[in-house]
Amino acid sequence: MARAVMYDNIRRAGTVLASSALALPLMAMVAPGARAEGMPQLDFGNPYVIGQVVWGAGIFLVLYLLLSRSALPKVEKVLSLRRQTIETDLGIAHKAKTRADEAVADLHEARRKALADAQANVDKVVEEARLAAARQTEEMNARLATEIQDAETRIAQARGQALASVREISTTTAETLIHQLSGIAAPADFVTAKVGSAAAARGL
Amino acid sequence: MAAGSSIDALGQFELHPVLGALGESLRFSQSPMMMIVAAIVVLAFLYVGMRPAAVVPGRLQSAAEMCYDFIHNMAVDTIGPEGRAFFPFVFTLFFFILAGNYLGLLPFSFAFTSHIAVTLALALMVFCLSIIVSLKVQGAKFLAHFMPAGAPKALAPLLIPIEILSFLSRPVSLSIRLFANMVAGHVMFDMFAAFTIMLAGLGFFGDIIAVGPVVINIALMALELLVGALQAYVFAILTCIYLREAVAH
């Protein structure tokens, strides 16, 4: 029984504390003794109702003047400065991009030109090498032709000399053969004439 | 607030002098005090946010610039190129109302937008401005708007009064919309908070059930954050629409 009473007292105390805590801010909103009869807003006999309009007009005017003359132009100034900065930076970026594009185009042109020059140089060197090789070949051919001609001349001379000795050798050989076979010494003029006619018949 | 078994949800809207005798003599209540706080918050947000003035902004500067762009786009897109001239006015209006709505959600605070006198004054200011701009830009042709183009002239006696009534209802709808939304939100806060206190007095089961209104109030706070921004936006966008009609040739 005593425990139940104690529990009840604790609960009541807690309820009062909780209610007070919740009610405090709300109660504080109302001035002491404020008990409205109808809507206080419509009590135009209350001088404070009209007073707040007069004060409100003054406060609104001051707020308007401060905002329009000072605070808002400050915001506008920052915003326009930002717009200006962004536009300037965009302009610089556009110019830089244009310059970069031009540089890339120049680079491509220079690369193309270098490639063309290199190709021309390669072609020129190849042509020069080809011409030099042709010239060397011609010179070699000419030298070989001269050497061949010289050799042929020498061969012809040697052949001429050899052919010139054929009649003499044939005459000597014929006289020796006749002497060996018949024991008779054939007249030299006869043998020479016969060898000469035989050689002429064979084109020697 | 709960008083015995009754709930006084409207007491929170009562105005009381602050700053003692000086406030009493100057008719300075918690409402203008919160207006000053709202103005200081808006100005501090812009001045502190824009102090770095960095080309690459930080978080606070980004937030300030986003707010600027949001209202600027709203004014220019809705009103047209002439909207640039009205941008500071729309900006002031939007953030004055927004700060008022949000500051009213803080404990120990007061929502000055929950007073019809304030919202009506703001709406009448917009209304008068739109008429002045209309007369300046359009001259007497402004009156021609009260007769819809292409409508049969025989219907003029019927249409013109309707149009005039519709035009005159603008400040009423503008002010009541904001006022009613703010009042409704704060009354609901108070009601559910009072429910919590009343339920808590019912004993053990009351304590458990009392959690319900607290949860509802938390959800209401989220809703009020949405409503606060939405109402400021609606007020500002309607102002832009009225000004667009005023500058239209």
Side-chain angles (χ1 to χ4, degrees):
Chain A
M1 188 68 179
R3 281 172 69 92
V5 170
M6 187 179 72
Y7 172 75
D8 194 44
N9 287 338
I10 291 169
R11 186 177 57 77
R12 279 175 191 278
T15 306
V16 168
L17 281 172
S19 305
S20 306
L22 284 170
L24 267 174
L26 294 163
M27 291 174 89
M29 288 169 66
V30 183
R35 299 275 310 151
E37 294 293 330
M39 291 188 83
Q41 296 99 319
L42 302 178
D43 180 14
F44 292 104
N46 184 350
Y48 296 106
V49 173
I50 302 303
Q52 68 177 339
V53 174
V54 177
W55 276 105
I59 293 162
F60 188 89
L61 181 68
V62 171
L63 179 64
Y64 171 75
L65 290 174
L66 283 171
L67 283 174
S68 61
R69 304 273 167 91
S70 170
L72 293 176
K74 205 173 176 180
V75 183
E76 174 57 32
K77 193 179 163 188
V78 171
L79 290 177
S80 59
L81 176 70
R82 182 176 303 139
R83 271 195 298 271
Q84 209 174 5
T85 307
I86 289 169
E87 280 170 14
T88 309
D89 289 354
L90 272 177
I92 291 168
H94 279 306
K95 280 181 186 169
K97 189 180 177 298
T98 308
R99 280 202 301 273
D101 288 345
E102 284 172 2
V104 168
D106 288 350
L107 181 70
H108 284 161
E109 178 61 24
R111 191 167 169 271
R112 193 193 59 74
K113 198 178 170 186
L115 273 173
D117 288 351
Q119 190 60 48
N121 283 336
V122 167
D123 291 347
K124 189 181 169 188
V125 168
V126 167
E127 182 63 18
E128 282 174 0
R130 194 184 62 77
L131 288 172
R135 196 165 54 247
Q136 281 179 349
T137 306
E138 272 181 21
E139 285 172 3
M140 190 175 284
N141 285 341
R143 197 170 66 243
L144 287 172
T146 309
E147 283 176 2
I148 288 167
Q149 201 171 359
D150 291 350
E152 281 177 350
T153 308
R154 283 197 301 274
I155 289 167
Q157 283 175 351
R159 187 169 172 271
Q161 285 175 355
L163 285 174
S165 303
V166 166
R167 288 192 183 198
E168 188 183 339
I169 293 165
S170 300
T171 304
T172 307
T173 304
E175 285 174 348
T176 305
L177 280 171
I178 292 168
H179 180 72
Q180 290 285 329
L181 290 170
S182 65
I184 301 165
D189 296 340
F190 176 75
V191 173
T192 301
K194 285 295 181 185
V195 169
S197 64
R202 284 174 176 79
L204 296 171
Chain B
M1 227 6 95
S5 58
S6 68
I7 299 171
D8 175 22
L10 297 175
Q12 61 176 313
F13 301 115
E14 282 203 344
L15 296 170
H16 305 285
V18 291
L19 305 174
L22 181 67
E24 219 168 310
S25 61
L26 293 173
R27 302 288 185 259
F28 192 79
S29 61
Q30 73 270 42
S31 175
M33 190 181 75
M34 290 315 296
M35 288 178 192
I36 291 173
V37 173
I40 289 169
V41 166
V42 173
L43 288 168
F45 171 59
L46 284 180
Y47 281 123
V48 175
M50 295 310 295
R51 195 163 52 182
V55 175
V56 180
R59 271 181 276 187
L60 195 58
Q61 190 185 332
S62 281
E65 289 175 6
M66 278 167 67
C67 290
Y68 179 97
D69 276 338
F70 174 64
I71 303 297
H72 189 269
N73 291 344
M74 183 205 288
V76 174
D77 292 350
T78 312
I79 304 171
E82 298 93 339
R84 282 181 231 284
F86 300 105
F87 160 65
F89 175 72
V90 179
F91 189 94
T92 311
L93 198 60
F94 177 83
F95 279 99
F96 186 65
I97 294 169
L98 184 73
N101 291 349
Y102 278 179
L103 284 172
L105 295 175
L106 297 175
F108 308 107
S109 183
F110 181 84
F112 57 82
T113 46
S114 64
H115 267 251
I116 185 73
V118 174
T119 58
L120 186 64
L122 290 171
L124 282 172
M125 178 175 64
V126 171
F127 184 67
C128 292
L129 178 71
S130 70
I131 290 175
I132 292 165
V133 173
S134 295
L135 290 172
K136 194 177 175 186
V137 174
Q138 304 173 33
K141 279 174 70 180
F142 159 64
L143 298 171
H145 288 291
F146 293 115
M147 179 63 195
K153 284 183 181 173
L155 289 175
L158 182 68
L159 288 175
I160 290 172
I162 290 172
E163 286 295 322
I164 290 172
L165 197 64
S166 165
F167 184 74
L168 292 174
S169 70
R170 282 177 177 182
V172 179
S173 66
L174 204 57
S175 58
I176 289 179
R177 186 184 298 109
L178 177 59
F179 156 73
N181 272 283
M182 288 303 108
V183 169
H186 285 269
V187 166
M188 282 202 290
F189 272 137
D190 209 318
M191 294 285 283
F192 284 106
F195 284 161
T196 303
I197 295 165
M198 290 165 79
L199 285 167
L202 295 179
F204 180 70
F205 289 109
D207 294 350
I208 295 168
I209 299 167
V211 175
V214 175
V215 173
I216 291 171
N217 256 359
I218 292 168
L220 269 178
M221 179 59 84
L223 181 70
E224 280 304 299
L225 285 170
L226 176 71
V227 168
L230 196 66
Q231 288 307 314
Y233 177 76
V234 167
F235 206 101
I237 194 80
L238 284 171
T239 301
C240 290
I241 290 169
Y242 297 157
L243 289 170
R244 180 187 62 191
E245 287 177 13
V247 297
H249 294 283

